[in-house]
Amino acid sequence: MKINWNYIKTFLLIGVVFFLFAFAEKRNHNRVLSEVNLHFTNSENLYLTEEAVNKLLIQNEVKVSSIGKETLDLNRVETLLEAHDMIENAEVFMTVDGKMGAAITQRKPLARVMGRAPYYMDRNGLKMPLSQYYSARVPIVTGVSEDLLPEVHPLVSYIRNDEFLTKHVTELNRLSNGKYVIRLRQLDFVVLFGAVSEIETKFMNFKAFYQKAMKDKKLNAYKKVDLQFGDQVVCTKK
């Protein structure tokens, strides 16, 4: 009987192809996450580190070196990350080669609130703990308890969104009558801002006063500048 080697070769080739396909499928199924690629979307200042994020995942039994990609709950990881005091938002994803990635947006502090236990107020007006990794250069707020953060937030937010005010304002102090006093960098006078109202008008008036006083070289001639009288700026000389 004559053996048809062409048929045998064909069957062997088909068998090898099926074996390789099955092997690759099994390997892909068992592939584990070998590393976490972190990206901080606002990474100019790091209030937490990659090491801190990885530690958080490990503590919550998200062992990326031993979890198959089919069993990893990305939503759970996002929830864990967003529960961190320094994280505002997290988007977790997994690449085709079995690596987990996370785009992390940190919370952004606007001011440091002083008290028995100092803390930050973030850009959403919420309490944010200080970081062990970085100290933010933000204005100091005194005389404010946590329940008053919604009151002071519009004022601080306006300051932080204005280049001129960000450069000059160093401290805001809330008096017992609910009015605010503002202190400036390298200037002797204080600014009586009053209640948190008419913010834009008051600061426009202050900028106009500042430019005029600087032009006249009289910035150091005053000890108090009062912005509480509508369109007027009332100054008290030394």
Side-chain angles (χ1 to χ4, degrees):
M1 180 178 176
K2 186 177 179 179
I3 299 176
N4 192 330
W5 291 104
N6 290 329
Y7 282 113
I8 294 176
K9 290 178 180 179
T10 300
F11 280 118
L12 286 174
L13 180 61
I14 293 173
V16 170
V17 170
F18 273 107
F19 172 78
L20 292 175
F21 178 80
F23 176 78
E25 185 69 18
K26 182 177 180 180
R27 181 178 180 183
N28 185 61
H29 179 78
N30 293 327
R31 182 178 291 166
V32 298
L33 299 169
S34 58
E35 61 180 272
V36 183
N37 295 322
L38 300 177
H39 170 65
F40 293 95
T41 61
N42 52 351
S43 58
E44 65 276 7
N45 300 319
L46 289 178
Y47 299 100
L48 74 164
T49 62
E50 292 189 19
E51 182 181 358
V53 174
N54 286 322
K55 183 178 180 181
L56 173 67
L57 297 177
I58 293 172
Q59 288 175 340
N60 287 275
E61 299 182 352
V62 182
K63 301 176 181 177
V64 296
S65 61
S66 60
I67 296 181
K69 65 179 182 180
E70 289 80 6
T71 65
L72 181 64
D73 186 346
L74 299 183
N75 290 329
R76 174 175 174 256
V77 178
E78 283 188 357
T79 301
L80 287 172
L81 291 175
E82 291 177 350
H84 194 284
D85 288 334
M86 296 296 174
I87 296 177
E88 181 176 299
N89 182 65
E91 294 184 9
V92 180
F93 55 90
M94 191 167 59
T95 62
V96 293
D97 58 350
K99 296 179 181 179
M100 186 173 74
I104 295 175
T105 301
Q106 301 175 105
R107 296 173 69 184
K108 184 176 181 179
L110 294 185
R112 182 190 294 254
V113 182
M114 303 305 293
R116 290 185 178 180
Y119 57 89
Y120 291 128
M121 177 180 67
D122 74 2
R123 60 182 166 186
N124 296 313
L126 303 175
K127 181 179 180 180
M128 172 183 173
L130 302 183
S131 170
Q132 61 177 308
Y133 304 108
Y134 185 85
S135 180
R137 295 187 62 183
V138 292
I140 292 174
V141 175
T142 59
V144 172
S145 54
E146 187 175 348
D147 62 307
L148 290 173
L149 293 184
E151 175 189 275
V152 70
H153 176 252
L155 180 55
V156 176
S157 183
Y158 189 94
I159 292 170
R160 296 298 291 168
N161 286 319
D162 185 283
E163 184 178 357
F164 173 85
L165 297 173
T166 296
K167 178 181 177 181
H168 289 91
V169 175
T170 59
E171 183 179 342
L172 299 91
N173 178 33
R174 186 183 190 274
L175 305 177
S176 58
N177 60 7
K179 297 183 178 182
Y180 286 82
V181 175
I182 296 175
R183 298 186 182 279
L184 306 172
R185 181 174 286 108
Q186 296 180 344
L187 291 172
D188 292 336
F189 62 81
V190 296
V191 178
L192 302 183
F193 188 86
V196 183
S197 61
E198 301 180 282
I199 298 175
E200 184 174 4
T201 298
K202 290 178 180 178
F203 278 132
M204 285 180 62
N205 293 338
F206 174 72
K207 288 180 181 179
F209 153 78
Y210 184 95
Q211 294 299 329
K212 181 66 167 60
M214 184 173 65
K215 181 179 179 180
D216 295 340
K217 298 181 179 180
K218 292 183 178 180
L219 281 174
N220 295 321
Y222 304 101
K223 65 178 181 180
K224 184 169 60 177
V225 176
D226 199 331
L227 307 177
Q228 300 178 83
F229 301 99
D231 290 332
Q232 301 182 66
V233 177
V234 179
C235 303
T236 303
K237 290 187 176 181
K238 293 180 179 178

